[in-house]
Amino acid sequence: MDDFQNILENGINFGRGGDKPKDDGKVKTKAKKKKYITGAHGSGSARQKAKYREQRANRHKK
C-alpha cells in the first residue's frame, strides 16, 4: 500500500530515465552518412544526388 500512496502523492514520471546527454554526436539519419552523401552504397538515385551535390559544391569555384 505504501507504493500506491507514493504514486498518488508524487505521480508517475514517464520522462527520460538517465543522465545520458541528449546530443551524443551520432548521425541520426542515413542522409547525413558519408556513404549516402557520396553515393557509394549502390543506390542509383543516391549516386545521382551525389553528382548534383558535387556540381553544386563546385559551381562557384574557378
Side-chain angles (χ1 to χ4, degrees):
M1 218 45 167
D2 189 37
D3 291 333
F4 183 73
Q5 189 66 28
N6 188 18
I7 291 172
L8 283 177
E9 291 174 2
N10 300 325
I12 300 174
N13 184 6
F14 292 105
R16 289 178 50 103
D19 52 333
K20 189 171 94 171
K22 272 194 171 185
D23 187 23
D24 52 4
K26 292 183 181 176
V27 176
K28 299 291 182 184
T29 61
K30 288 182 180 179
K32 294 180 182 178
K33 290 185 179 178
K34 172 110 174 111
K35 284 189 174 188
Y36 279 80
I37 289 173
T38 59
H41 68 282
S43 169
S45 63
R47 284 193 202 116
Q48 191 171 8
K49 283 182 181 181
K51 182 181 78 172
Y52 293 145
R53 280 191 201 101
E54 188 177 347
Q55 288 174 354
R56 187 175 61 226
N58 294 328
R59 192 169 289 152
H60 297 291
K61 294 181 182 179
K62 289 186 178 182

